[in-house]
Amino acid sequence: MTFNELDKRAIEWNQIANGHRSTEERINTQIDQCNEEMCKEFFYWLGELSKYNLKFDESKIKTEILDGFADSRFVCVEFFALESDTSNYFPFIHELYQSMLDAAGIVFVDSVLLEAYRRVIESNFSKFILDCEAFDKHAAINEQLRMVEKYGEPIEKELNNGYWVFRDSNGKIRKPSTFKPVDLSDLI
């Protein structure tokens, strides 16, 4: 796969996750995500890259850099697609992402960055459950009840583009029992 192919998959995930919002709400959500995720990652990275240059725990630092890059690309790709006509209004997000890409490129070859990004996307997709014979409406109701018990709050379920999505009362996607966290340790 290529970055462009994976970007399409990330956009598909965002359409499933955010399809209930208007385009304006989706742009605002992505700006919030960029502010929250990218700025946090970027400033964390500056410290981690300094440690890397000083030869601290390279494995931990490289893992954080790789994960931060993949998470940031995932957030940015939806934002860039949504605001493509207004990119002049948000140059700082483009510049911040480019700085992160440049920094990650110092430490990793493109094939490793690509694989990390693919894994983050697949992990994010595991927050949804594919609607199929093995997991139908009855299974979704059972998963919803399990999540209500786990989180101690109402959980809504919806079928969106062939995937079951579970949200809390604030609209946050909740991870079902099928969720698989990303593991990048073998890429270091």
Side-chain angles (χ1 to χ4, degrees):
M1 293 196 111
T2 65
F3 279 116
N4 286 339
E5 291 168 329
L6 290 174
D7 287 345
K8 290 175 186 172
R9 186 96 167 119
I11 290 170
E12 177 188 4
W13 186 94
N14 277 290
Q15 288 171 339
I16 295 167
N18 299 309
H20 63 292
R21 295 183 170 121
S22 69
T23 300
E24 183 180 333
E25 289 172 322
R26 288 172 71 183
I27 290 172
N28 289 335
T29 298
Q30 291 310 112
I31 290 171
D32 290 345
Q33 287 291 315
C34 288
N35 287 338
E36 181 181 329
E37 292 295 322
M38 287 185 56
C39 290
K40 176 182 75 176
E41 293 285 353
F42 182 73
F43 289 107
Y44 179 75
W45 271 29
L46 290 178
E48 293 302 300
L49 281 173
S50 297
K51 291 177 190 175
Y52 176 76
N53 288 334
L54 296 172
K55 306 297 183 215
F56 280 73
D57 181 359
E58 288 187 33
S59 177
K60 178 185 178 292
I61 294 165
K62 285 181 176 181
T63 301
E64 293 298 327
I65 290 171
L66 193 56
D67 183 58
F69 159 76
D71 285 344
S72 294
R73 184 171 183 115
F74 187 85
V75 169
C76 285
V77 71
E78 169 77 348
F79 175 73
F80 293 161
L82 288 170
E83 61 84 54
S84 61
D85 295 334
T86 60
S87 60
N88 292 332
Y89 298 111
F90 303 103
F92 64 96
I93 293 176
H94 291 267
E95 291 168 15
L96 185 57
Y97 173 73
Q98 188 60 51
S99 296
M100 294 180 83
L101 178 59
D102 292 345
I106 292 170
V107 181
F108 298 101
V109 296
D110 281 351
S111 60
V112 172
L113 296 174
L114 186 67
E115 178 59 16
Y117 184 44
R118 185 194 68 74
R119 290 182 190 184
V120 163
I121 291 170
E122 293 310 311
S123 175
N124 282 341
F125 262 96
S126 74
K127 294 176 183 176
F128 307 145
I129 301 177
L130 185 63
D131 182 48
C132 60
E133 282 185 37
F135 197 93
D136 59 10
K137 185 174 183 176
H138 298 292
I141 291 169
N142 289 336
E143 184 69 23
Q144 179 184 25
L145 293 172
R146 185 197 68 75
M147 294 172 87
V148 166
E149 187 175 310
K150 177 181 178 181
Y151 294 112
E153 66 178 308
I155 301 293
E156 297 296 322
K157 69 177 179 346
E158 66 185 59
L159 185 59
N160 193 342
N161 291 353
Y163 289 93
W164 289 101
V165 181
F166 301 90
R167 297 180 196 283
D168 65 17
S169 58
N170 294 321
K172 179 180 178 172
I173 294 174
R174 291 300 190 160
K175 299 170 186 167
S177 57
T178 57
F179 175 71
K180 293 179 179 90
V182 68
D183 179 11
L184 305 175
S185 59
D186 65 310
L187 297 178
I188 306 305

